[in-house]
Amino acid sequence: MDDIKYPIKGSCQCGGVTYELLEPPKMIAACHCKACQKLSTSAFSITAIVDANSVRFNGPMKDWSRPTDSGKISAAKFCPTCGNRLYHFDPKEPNKLKLKPSNLSDTRIIKPAIHIWVSEKQDWYQIPEGVETCDKQPW
């Protein structure tokens, strides 16, 4: 995808929070855990792993967090008006963001290299051949 130009603009559903992704993500993952199914109201959630300094956000955001099965904290930033999630992060690793890339204006970068938590995957969804999978959380 050499024709993708950075920065790529993104926003929440109402446009109250905007952002620019300045460089390609380190990885794109599809998570099939039950929490991500609730988040996405679908079979899985897409996440782009990025460095915090590779994204510039504008607009007010609210915080939410929950403990994970591993004992870590999964924190999220979201728009206070429309509720759209923009990214997740571990407070102990604030420089690594788990961006929700479906909010980008150019979504051609969304091609998961790994599917995680496939132990909780919906039976009807078939993971494409040749894509790495992990039963639980690999990192």
Side-chain angles (χ1 to χ4, degrees), residues 62-82:
K62 286 199 169 194
D63 301 298
W64 180 78
S65 65
R66 67 172 176 83
T68 65
D69 290 344
S70 69
K72 295 181 178 183
I73 298 295
S74 177
K77 293 283 190 175
F78 63 95
C79 173
T81 302
C82 68

Side-chain angles (χ1 to χ4, degrees), residues 12 16 29 31 36 40 47 55 79-80 92 96 112 116-117 128 132 135 138:
C12 64
C31 182
C36 280
S40 67
T47 297
V55 188
C79 173
K92 292 183 179 178
K96 182 172 105 177
I116 62 174
W117 279 97
E132 185 180 352
D135 278 347

